[in-house]
Amino acid sequence: MVIAKMKECSMDIQGLNRTISFWIKQVDLRIDKGVQHALAAHDLSSTQLKILVILYTHPEQPFRQKDLEQQLQLTNPTVTGILSNMERKGLIRRVKNPLDSRSKVVELTERSHQLKDELMAFAEDFEEKLTHRLSVPEREQLISLLKKLSEPGNSATVISR
């Protein structure tokens, strides 16, 4: 009986190894683990780094919290918590939107500007290490395929019984 259960478990694992969702999650876990370890010295999470990179790479564009939620595909409460944490760390501040005084935009602080070169170099280096086994066309193809999978019309549906 125990051997039959072990074979059943082995078959389940083999089945998982052939699913896209399994491999996407494996890569995601490795990325988060690598980023978290490397960013621990700055007390930054991978999502906080993503927000900083967005702000660093679009200095002329005012980003509202809602814009960051959409860009990162995260909920309002999640982004509120992340931004509050970043504000406490002195990395960002929320100021009145120059285009609409009813809303606020997220701005980089002097501290985050001081970290820019180091964090951008880290992000680029990490991406290079992650994809070093892929050719440029393979990288482009992978991005294209992942974008296609993430399009709203292709979202997974939960089947209720």
Side-chain angles (χ1 to χ4, degrees), residues 36-54:
Q36 297 296 0
H37 177 72
L39 295 177
H42 294 297
D43 190 27
L44 286 174
S45 71
S46 59
T47 305
Q48 290 171 345
L49 175 64
K50 288 173 192 167
I51 289 171
L52 290 173
V53 169
I54 289 168

Side-chain angles (χ1 to χ4, degrees), residues 19-43:
T19 64
I20 292 169
S21 59
F22 174 80
W23 287 110
I24 290 173
K25 185 62 178 175
Q26 293 306 303
V27 171
D28 183 52
L29 289 170
R30 292 192 69 170
I31 291 169
D32 274 350
K33 186 176 180 181
V35 170
Q36 297 296 0
H37 177 72
L39 295 177
H42 294 297
D43 190 27

Side-chain angles (χ1 to χ4, degrees), residues 85-98:
N85 198 346
M86 291 177 76
E87 224 168 5
R88 277 192 297 280
K89 294 175 186 180
L91 295 168
I92 56 118
R93 63 180 156 263
R94 292 179 255 197
V95 299
K96 282 187 181 177
N97 186 343

Side-chain angles (χ1 to χ4, degrees), residues 18-158:
R18 288 190 295 270
T19 64
I20 292 169
S21 59
F22 174 80
W23 287 110
I24 290 173
K25 185 62 178 175
Q26 293 306 303
V27 171
D28 183 52
L29 289 170
R30 292 192 69 170
I31 291 169
D32 274 350
K33 186 176 180 181
V35 170
Q36 297 296 0
H37 177 72
L39 295 177
H42 294 297
D43 190 27
L44 286 174
S45 71
S46 59
T47 305
Q48 290 171 345
L49 175 64
K50 288 173 192 167
I51 289 171
L52 290 173
V53 169
I54 289 168
L55 297 173
Y56 289 149
T57 55
H58 299 86
E60 72 295 335
Q61 183 178 342
F63 274 92
R64 300 169 300 159
Q65 178 172 325
K66 186 175 199 85
D67 300 324
L68 293 170
E69 292 166 14
Q70 291 171 347
Q71 188 82 20
L72 298 169
Q73 297 183 13
L74 296 172
T75 64
N76 175 277
T78 300
V79 175
T80 297
I82 292 166
L83 292 178
S84 294
N85 198 346
M86 291 177 76
E87 224 168 5
R88 277 192 297 280
K89 294 175 186 180
L91 295 168
I92 56 118
R93 63 180 156 263
R94 292 179 255 197
V95 299
K96 282 187 181 177
N97 186 343
L99 304 175
D100 180 0
S101 61
R102 296 171 295 171
S103 68
K104 292 187 175 183
V105 293
V106 179
E107 269 187 4
L108 296 168
T109 63
E110 184 59 37
R111 178 170 184 245
S112 58
H113 281 294
Q114 290 170 351
L115 295 172
K116 179 181 178 181
D117 291 341
E118 181 182 350
L119 294 178
M120 290 298 289
F122 166 78
E124 289 171 20
D125 184 56
F126 190 85
E127 181 80 6
E128 181 57 37
K129 286 178 181 173
L130 177 68
T131 61
H132 78 278
R133 292 182 170 171
L134 301 177
S135 66
V136 172
E138 287 173 326
R139 288 180 194 194
E140 291 170 0
Q141 182 181 24
L142 180 58
I143 289 170
S144 176
L145 292 170
L146 291 171
K147 280 181 177 180
K148 192 179 276 192
L149 288 178
S150 70
E151 289 172 356
N154 293 336
S155 61
T157 334
V158 177

